[in-house]
mmCIF file of all heavy atoms in Angstrom:
data_model
loop_
_atom_site.group_PDB
_atom_site.id
_atom_site.type_symbol
_atom_site.label_atom_id
_atom_site.label_comp_id
_atom_site.label_asym_id
_atom_site.label_seq_id
_atom_site.Cartn_x
_atom_site.Cartn_y
_atom_site.Cartn_z
ATOM 1 N N ALA A 37 92.939 100.975 145.729
ATOM 2 C CA ALA A 37 93.848 100.389 144.751
ATOM 3 C C ALA A 37 93.090 99.460 143.821
ATOM 4 O O ALA A 37 93.344 99.398 142.626
ATOM 5 C CB ALA A 37 94.964 99.626 145.469
ATOM 6 N N THR A 38 92.120 98.716 144.388
ATOM 7 C CA THR A 38 91.339 97.798 143.566
ATOM 8 C C THR A 38 90.490 98.555 142.569
ATOM 9 O O THR A 38 90.407 98.219 141.391
ATOM 10 C CB THR A 38 90.435 96.931 144.469
ATOM 11 O OG1 THR A 38 91.260 96.206 145.375
ATOM 12 C CG2 THR A 38 89.608 95.951 143.637
ATOM 13 N N SER A 39 89.832 99.610 143.032
ATOM 14 C CA SER A 39 88.995 100.402 142.126
ATOM 15 C C SER A 39 89.836 101.143 141.103
ATOM 16 O O SER A 39 89.349 101.510 140.042
ATOM 17 C CB SER A 39 88.152 101.394 142.939
ATOM 18 O OG SER A 39 89.007 102.316 143.610
ATOM 19 N N GLY A 40 91.118 101.328 141.389
ATOM 20 C CA GLY A 40 91.997 102.004 140.438
ATOM 21 C C GLY A 40 92.307 101.161 139.218
ATOM 22 O O GLY A 40 92.956 101.624 138.291
ATOM 23 N N ASP A 41 91.854 99.893 139.181
ATOM 24 C CA ASP A 41 92.068 99.033 138.023
ATOM 25 C C ASP A 41 91.144 99.386 136.870
ATOM 26 O O ASP A 41 91.277 98.862 135.770
ATOM 27 C CB ASP A 41 91.841 97.554 138.391
ATOM 28 C CG ASP A 41 92.940 97.024 139.298
ATOM 29 O OD1 ASP A 41 94.017 97.640 139.317
ATOM 30 O OD2 ASP A 41 92.705 96.008 139.960
ATOM 31 N N SER A 42 90.156 100.255 137.091
ATOM 32 C CA SER A 42 89.171 100.568 136.056
ATOM 33 C C SER A 42 89.772 101.127 134.777
ATOM 34 O O SER A 42 89.263 100.842 133.696
ATOM 35 C CB SER A 42 88.114 101.534 136.603
ATOM 36 O OG SER A 42 88.736 102.715 137.079
ATOM 37 N N PRO A 43 90.879 101.915 134.801
ATOM 38 C CA PRO A 43 91.453 102.377 133.536
ATOM 39 C C PRO A 43 91.873 101.228 132.625
ATOM 40 O O PRO A 43 91.757 101.324 131.416
ATOM 41 C CB PRO A 43 92.673 103.196 133.984
ATOM 42 C CG PRO A 43 92.317 103.673 135.357
ATOM 43 C CD PRO A 43 91.520 102.556 135.955
ATOM 44 N N SER A 44 92.343 100.100 133.203
ATOM 45 C CA SER A 44 92.722 98.973 132.360
ATOM 46 C C SER A 44 91.498 98.378 131.689
ATOM 47 O O SER A 44 91.562 97.875 130.574
ATOM 48 C CB SER A 44 93.446 97.901 133.176
ATOM 49 O OG SER A 44 92.574 97.356 134.148
ATOM 50 N N ASP A 45 90.330 98.436 132.374
ATOM 51 C CA ASP A 45 89.097 97.979 131.742
ATOM 52 C C ASP A 45 88.764 98.852 130.552
ATOM 53 O O ASP A 45 88.336 98.371 129.504
ATOM 54 C CB ASP A 45 87.951 97.999 132.755
ATOM 55 C CG ASP A 45 88.182 97.010 133.895
ATOM 56 O OD1 ASP A 45 88.931 96.033 133.668
ATOM 57 O OD2 ASP A 45 87.619 97.217 134.979
ATOM 58 N N ASP A 46 88.941 100.164 130.705
ATOM 59 C CA ASP A 46 88.702 101.084 129.597
ATOM 60 C C ASP A 46 89.646 100.773 128.448
ATOM 61 O O ASP A 46 89.262 100.816 127.276
ATOM 62 C CB ASP A 46 88.896 102.541 130.056
ATOM 63 C CG ASP A 46 87.840 102.943 131.077
ATOM 64 O OD1 ASP A 46 86.800 102.264 131.144
ATOM 65 O OD2 ASP A 46 88.080 103.929 131.806
ATOM 66 N N SER A 47 90.902 100.451 128.783
ATOM 67 C CA SER A 47 91.882 100.127 127.755
ATOM 68 C C SER A 47 91.473 98.879 127.000
ATOM 69 O O SER A 47 91.599 98.799 125.774
ATOM 70 C CB SER A 47 93.262 99.925 128.388
ATOM 71 O OG SER A 47 94.206 99.547 127.414
ATOM 72 N N ALA A 48 90.970 97.866 127.724
ATOM 73 C CA ALA A 48 90.522 96.629 127.079
ATOM 74 C C ALA A 48 89.369 96.910 126.133
ATOM 75 O O ALA A 48 89.287 96.359 125.036
ATOM 76 C CB ALA A 48 90.118 95.609 128.139
ATOM 77 N N THR A 49 88.456 97.816 126.567
ATOM 78 C CA THR A 49 87.337 98.188 125.707
ATOM 79 C C THR A 49 87.827 98.864 124.446
ATOM 80 O O THR A 49 87.358 98.581 123.338
ATOM 81 C CB THR A 49 86.371 99.122 126.466
ATOM 82 O OG1 THR A 49 85.907 98.453 127.638
ATOM 83 C CG2 THR A 49 85.188 99.497 125.582
ATOM 84 N N ALA A 50 88.819 99.754 124.617
ATOM 85 C CA ALA A 50 89.355 100.465 123.452
ATOM 86 C C ALA A 50 90.023 99.495 122.482
ATOM 87 O O ALA A 50 89.908 99.629 121.273
ATOM 88 C CB ALA A 50 90.361 101.533 123.911
ATOM 89 N N GLN A 51 90.712 98.474 123.015
ATOM 90 C CA GLN A 51 91.392 97.514 122.169
ATOM 91 C C GLN A 51 90.429 96.643 121.394
ATOM 92 O O GLN A 51 90.795 96.040 120.396
ATOM 93 C CB GLN A 51 92.330 96.657 123.019
ATOM 94 C CG GLN A 51 93.526 97.423 123.576
ATOM 95 C CD GLN A 51 94.397 96.547 124.466
ATOM 96 O OE1 GLN A 51 94.115 95.374 124.633
ATOM 97 N NE2 GLN A 51 95.427 97.133 125.035
ATOM 98 N N SER A 52 89.170 96.548 121.847
ATOM 99 C CA SER A 52 88.189 95.726 121.160
ATOM 100 C C SER A 52 87.572 96.449 119.971
ATOM 101 O O SER A 52 86.759 95.879 119.261
ATOM 102 C CB SER A 52 87.084 95.295 122.136
ATOM 103 O OG SER A 52 86.320 96.429 122.543
ATOM 104 N N GLY A 53 87.950 97.705 119.759
ATOM 105 C CA GLY A 53 87.425 98.476 118.636
ATOM 106 C C GLY A 53 88.093 98.102 117.324
ATOM 107 O O GLY A 53 88.860 97.137 117.254
ATOM 108 N N PRO A 54 87.826 98.861 116.257
ATOM 109 C CA PRO A 54 88.412 98.560 114.941
ATOM 110 C C PRO A 54 89.930 98.542 114.985
ATOM 111 O O PRO A 54 90.556 99.353 115.660
ATOM 112 C CB PRO A 54 87.903 99.710 114.064
ATOM 113 C CG PRO A 54 86.690 100.230 114.756
ATOM 114 C CD PRO A 54 86.949 100.041 116.217
ATOM 115 N N LYS A 55 90.520 97.620 114.250
ATOM 116 C CA LYS A 55 91.967 97.497 114.198
ATOM 117 C C LYS A 55 92.456 97.879 112.802
ATOM 118 O O LYS A 55 91.869 97.483 111.803
ATOM 119 C CB LYS A 55 92.393 96.062 114.525
ATOM 120 C CG LYS A 55 93.909 95.852 114.519
ATOM 121 C CD LYS A 55 94.262 94.419 114.846
ATOM 122 C CE LYS A 55 95.771 94.199 114.787
ATOM 123 N NZ LYS A 55 96.134 92.780 115.020
ATOM 124 N N TYR A 56 93.537 98.643 112.750
ATOM 125 C CA TYR A 56 94.119 99.081 111.484
ATOM 126 C C TYR A 56 95.563 98.577 111.429
ATOM 127 O O TYR A 56 96.456 99.186 111.989
ATOM 128 C CB TYR A 56 94.076 100.605 111.369
ATOM 129 C CG TYR A 56 92.675 101.172 111.434
ATOM 130 C CD1 TYR A 56 92.084 101.495 112.655
ATOM 131 C CD2 TYR A 56 91.935 101.375 110.277
ATOM 132 C CE1 TYR A 56 90.792 102.008 112.717
ATOM 133 C CE2 TYR A 56 90.643 101.888 110.328
ATOM 134 C CZ TYR A 56 90.083 102.189 111.554
ATOM 135 O OH TYR A 56 88.807 102.694 111.606
ATOM 136 N N SER A 57 95.756 97.451 110.786
ATOM 137 C CA SER A 57 97.096 96.853 110.744
ATOM 138 C C SER A 57 98.021 97.640 109.829
ATOM 139 O O SER A 57 97.588 98.176 108.799
ATOM 140 C CB SER A 57 97.021 95.403 110.261
ATOM 141 O OG SER A 57 96.391 94.589 111.213
ATOM 142 N N GLN A 58 99.280 97.698 110.212
ATOM 143 C CA GLN A 58 100.302 98.256 109.348
ATOM 144 C C GLN A 58 100.815 97.146 108.425
ATOM 145 O O GLN A 58 100.633 95.957 108.685
ATOM 146 C CB GLN A 58 101.445 98.823 110.185
ATOM 147 C CG GLN A 58 101.029 100.022 111.028
ATOM 148 C CD GLN A 58 100.507 101.169 110.174
ATOM 149 O OE1 GLN A 58 101.202 101.662 109.295
ATOM 150 N NE2 GLN A 58 99.277 101.568 110.422
ATOM 151 N N PHE A 59 101.470 97.547 107.347
ATOM 152 C CA PHE A 59 101.886 96.594 106.324
ATOM 153 C C PHE A 59 102.679 95.434 106.925
ATOM 154 O O PHE A 59 102.429 94.268 106.606
ATOM 155 C CB PHE A 59 102.714 97.309 105.263
ATOM 156 C CG PHE A 59 103.081 96.438 104.090
ATOM 157 C CD1 PHE A 59 102.199 96.268 103.037
ATOM 158 C CD2 PHE A 59 104.303 95.784 104.041
ATOM 159 C CE1 PHE A 59 102.520 95.458 101.954
ATOM 160 C CE2 PHE A 59 104.639 94.978 102.976
ATOM 161 C CZ PHE A 59 103.746 94.816 101.924
ATOM 162 N N ALA A 60 103.628 95.736 107.790
ATOM 163 C CA ALA A 60 104.491 94.699 108.359
ATOM 164 C C ALA A 60 103.709 93.720 109.235
ATOM 165 O O ALA A 60 104.167 92.588 109.448
ATOM 166 C CB ALA A 60 105.619 95.335 109.164
ATOM 167 N N ASP A 61 102.548 94.126 109.743
ATOM 168 C CA ASP A 61 101.765 93.260 110.620
ATOM 169 C C ASP A 61 100.970 92.214 109.848
ATOM 170 O O ASP A 61 100.528 91.216 110.431
ATOM 171 C CB ASP A 61 100.802 94.092 111.470
ATOM 172 C CG ASP A 61 101.545 95.052 112.393
ATOM 173 O OD1 ASP A 61 102.663 94.695 112.807
ATOM 174 O OD2 ASP A 61 101.011 96.139 112.681
ATOM 175 N N PHE A 62 100.735 92.428 108.574
ATOM 176 C CA PHE A 62 99.999 91.454 107.780
ATOM 177 C C PHE A 62 100.902 90.256 107.473
ATOM 178 O O PHE A 62 102.074 90.431 107.127
ATOM 179 C CB PHE A 62 99.517 92.071 106.462
ATOM 180 C CG PHE A 62 98.366 93.017 106.603
ATOM 181 C CD1 PHE A 62 98.546 94.386 106.450
ATOM 182 C CD2 PHE A 62 97.089 92.549 106.873
ATOM 183 C CE1 PHE A 62 97.483 95.265 106.564
ATOM 184 C CE2 PHE A 62 96.015 93.421 106.999
ATOM 185 C CZ PHE A 62 96.211 94.781 106.848
ATOM 186 N N PRO A 63 100.374 89.047 107.582
ATOM 187 C CA PRO A 63 101.190 87.880 107.238
ATOM 188 C C PRO A 63 101.345 87.755 105.726
ATOM 189 O O PRO A 63 100.648 88.419 104.958
ATOM 190 C CB PRO A 63 100.371 86.713 107.805
ATOM 191 C CG PRO A 63 98.955 87.205 107.756
ATOM 192 C CD PRO A 63 99.024 88.686 108.042
ATOM 193 N N GLY A 64 102.248 86.901 105.321
ATOM 194 C CA GLY A 64 102.419 86.648 103.894
ATOM 195 C C GLY A 64 103.667 87.300 103.331
ATOM 196 O O GLY A 64 104.299 88.147 103.956
ATOM 197 N N GLN A 65 104.008 86.886 102.133
ATOM 198 C CA GLN A 65 105.205 87.363 101.448
ATOM 199 C C GLN A 65 104.900 88.623 100.653
ATOM 200 O O GLN A 65 103.861 88.723 100.005
ATOM 201 C CB GLN A 65 105.721 86.256 100.518
ATOM 202 C CG GLN A 65 107.064 86.536 99.875
ATOM 203 C CD GLN A 65 107.559 85.354 99.059
ATOM 204 O OE1 GLN A 65 107.054 84.242 99.208
ATOM 205 N NE2 GLN A 65 108.531 85.580 98.192
#
Side-chain angles (χ1 to χ4, degrees):
T38 301
S39 63
D41 290 340
S42 57
S44 64
D45 296 336
D46 294 341
S47 177
T49 302
Q51 291 177 2
S52 67
K55 181 180 178 184
Y56 300 88
S57 291
Q58 294 300 303
F59 186 84
D61 297 329
F62 286 108
Q65 188 175 344

